Amino acid sequence: MASFIVNESKHVLDMEEKRKTLLQVGERLPNGLVISEMADNGSNYEIYTVEDNSVNILVVKEDLANKWIELGYLPKRVFADYVNTLNEKVCLFFSPSSLILQPLTSVRFYGSKHYAYSVAGAIWNTRTVDQDINLRDSIYCELYSILLPTFTQTRAVCDKALFSNCFLTTGEEDLSAPHEVEDSGLSPFNFARTMQANGFKGSPIEHYLQAGEKVDDYVMVADNLLIASAVEVTENFQVYNTNSDVKIVLFNKDYADKLIKNDLILQMDLRTVQLGYEIVKAIVLSKRKAVECLDNRQYGITKDGALELAQAIGRTRRKLPKARLDNGLYIQEYGLVFPQEFECEESQNDARLVEEILYKGPFAMAPFLEEHVEDAKAIVMR
């Protein structure tokens, strides 16, 4: 028997290959989307891309979706019921491909301050739902500024460590449990200290709104709308994520008047808001479209999105020949860039700006072909 050898390679099962997935590659959904590939998965969920790259789809069984709904993580209306090829009833959640939908442990900021504020806001928003739930294996859903817990038995990691790990490009993750460190949550102090340690300076400008603050009736888009976090804070405007699929932009009155005067926005689009002794102007925008400063980008750019951005820059330049646009607020829904400087002495090279965004990323959805970049540059210069 000593000479009897077992070839173990013939007895090893490829668990990923044998595992029955909730959706199949090539499967066509009732809305016409065709499943391309599985982008990520956990023990009780799967995330898929689609052939036209328009959305990512989070697929879970009905019991997990119902748990998220009952506990207040997501509203029932965001899920679509579907019976898959295995005759199982599953729930589908659709998120634009340009927004992040992935395990929190996979999230990396890649130098984006906007992205860091967005994830911090998701942590804070989640803690308004449950102060103690383990978020280590959670799914970051940017569309609703929430971390979706997967209720696994994985060892808990404190919020401060989870946030800090998102800055890593190399090295080991911090896996400190909540009971192992003092002040383990992502308090404003811990947030500011972590940002500073990673090269991001805090803003001296006072925020109009605070995380967890209930938005007043002026928004009129959803019940129980809460602020998740500020994602842009400048002297002219402030942009806030909410716990719904909308962002709120607040303009100081003088800047809003400049936007109206230069035909970038209509008076009727703005809502007047009294914040203490100050009057500001507000607009509500969908998170499904880009709302970000061009020097602090985070929204994933698709081929069509690149052309839209080029059109917005070109359209704005025709209205404002001397404006500085490289740090302007790009509002895709309006098809314009709101500049912070309306009169700039330095010459502006919009074609180079577009080229830099598309070539350097870092949030392009895929490498752009040279012809696509040239098309975008031509649109800007047209």
Side-chain angles (χ1 to χ4, degrees):
M1 293 294 290
S3 63
F4 183 76
I5 298 175
V6 176
N7 185 349
E8 294 182 356
S9 66
K10 294 184 177 181
H11 300 274
V12 175
L13 294 177
D14 185 339
M15 297 307 292
E16 285 300 318
E17 192 174 299
K18 301 295 181 183
R19 180 174 176 265
K20 292 181 179 178
T21 59
L22 297 175
L23 297 181
Q24 306 300 316
V25 173
E27 186 171 347
R28 184 178 293 274
L29 303 180
N31 58 7
L33 294 173
V34 178
I35 300 302
S36 176
E37 63 179 356
M38 184 189 293
D40 233 311
N41 69 288
S43 59
N44 52 5
Y45 71 88
E46 294 169 0
I47 298 174
Y48 291 88
T49 61
V50 298
E51 286 189 353
D52 69 0
N53 199 35
S54 60
V55 298
N56 292 326
I57 306 173
L58 172 62
V59 188
V60 297
K61 292 189 176 179
E62 193 175 20
D63 58 346
L64 180 56
N66 286 339
K67 198 167 186 178
W68 286 336
I69 294 166
E70 290 166 7
L71 295 176
Y73 289 95
L74 286 172
K76 183 176 177 58
R77 60 182 170 79
V78 305
F79 290 101
D81 294 335
Y82 178 66
V83 178
N84 64 15
T85 56
L86 301 174
N87 206 32
E88 296 174 315
K89 187 175 181 182
V90 296
C91 295
L92 310 180
F93 172 82
F94 300 90
S95 175
S97 60
S98 291
L99 299 179
I100 303 300
L101 181 68
Q102 67 179 160
L104 180 61
T105 51
S106 299
V107 170
R108 293 295 181 268
F109 295 145
Y110 301 112
S112 171
K113 186 177 180 180
H114 189 131
Y115 197 176
Y117 272 82
S118 294
V119 171
I123 294 174
W124 292 328
N125 181 39
T126 305
R127 288 307 179 203
T128 67
V129 180
D130 192 316
Q131 282 286 334
D132 302 311
I133 192 71
N134 180 13
L135 296 178
R136 183 181 178 187
D137 283 348
S138 63
I139 305 163
Y140 172 47
C141 173
E142 185 180 358
L143 183 59
Y144 280 84
S145 297
I146 196 77
L147 298 176
L148 301 171
T150 53
F151 306 103
T152 62
Q153 297 303 310
T154 307
R155 178 179 180 273
V157 174
C158 69
D159 292 354
K160 181 167 66 174
L162 290 173
F163 180 69
S164 182
N165 289 339
C166 295
F167 288 95
L168 291 176
T169 53
T170 60
E172 294 185 0
E173 294 185 332
D174 182 354
L175 300 180
S176 301
H179 66 274
E180 294 176 338
V181 292
E182 188 177 350
D183 190 17
S184 63
L186 189 64
S187 63
F189 174 76
N190 286 338
F191 169 74
R193 186 167 61 178
T194 303
M195 292 290 287
Q196 187 173 14
N198 286 278
F200 294 105
K201 295 181 180 179
S203 171
I205 301 169
E206 185 177 353
H207 290 198
Y208 290 133
L209 303 171
Q210 301 300 320
E213 186 173 342
K214 190 170 182 179
V215 179
D216 291 330
D217 294 338
Y218 67 84
V219 177
M220 295 183 292
V221 292
D223 294 330
N224 300 316
L225 197 70
L226 301 177
I227 295 299
S229 67
V231 288
E232 296 285 359
V233 178
T234 74
E235 292 181 355
N236 298 312
F237 54 78
Q238 298 185 11
V239 183
Y240 291 86
N241 275 344
T242 71
N243 63 341
S244 186
D245 58 350
V246 297
K247 287 186 176 183
I248 297 173
V249 185
L250 299 177
F251 304 105
N252 74 44
K253 187 177 181 303
D254 290 343
Y255 182 72
D257 289 342
K258 286 184 181 179
L259 295 177
I260 295 168
K261 180 181 177 181
N262 288 282
D263 194 30
L264 296 178
I265 198 169
L266 298 175
Q267 176 73 55
M268 67 179 67
D269 292 338
L270 296 167
R271 305 175 190 185
T272 302
V273 184
Q274 181 86 38
L275 295 175
Y277 294 106
E278 187 170 0
I279 293 177
V280 298
K281 301 291 185 174
I283 55 173
V284 180
L285 301 167
S286 171
K287 287 184 189 175
R288 299 171 193 274
K289 300 281 188 178
V291 184
E292 60 187 2
C293 287
L294 292 182
D295 62 347
N296 186 21
R297 291 173 295 102
Q298 176 261 336
Y299 189 83
I301 302 177
T302 62
K303 176 187 171 183
D304 291 342
L307 299 181
E308 282 193 66
L309 172 59
Q311 290 170 339
I313 291 174
R315 190 178 295 118
T316 307
R317 178 60 66 203
R318 289 189 289 275
K319 289 176 177 287
L320 300 168
K322 295 184 179 181
R324 179 183 174 184
L325 301 183
D326 62 352
N327 65 347
L329 181 65
Y330 172 44
I331 299 185
Q332 186 178 8
E333 206 169 315
Y334 279 62
L336 292 167
V337 179
F338 290 0
Q340 299 197 61
E341 297 177 38
F342 290 81
E343 297 283 339
C344 183
E345 294 181 1
E346 299 177 9
S347 60
Q348 303 295 301
N349 189 329
D350 297 332
R352 187 171 61 189
L353 171 61
V354 169
E355 184 178 53
E356 183 178 339
I357 290 173
L358 300 190
Y359 274 139
K360 291 187 178 180
F363 298 106
M365 299 303 293
F368 286 103
L369 297 176
E370 187 173 344
E371 61 189 75
H372 295 157
V373 178
E374 292 303 315
D375 288 345
K377 289 166 63 177
I379 288 173
V380 166
M381 302 305 294
R382 186 171 59 199

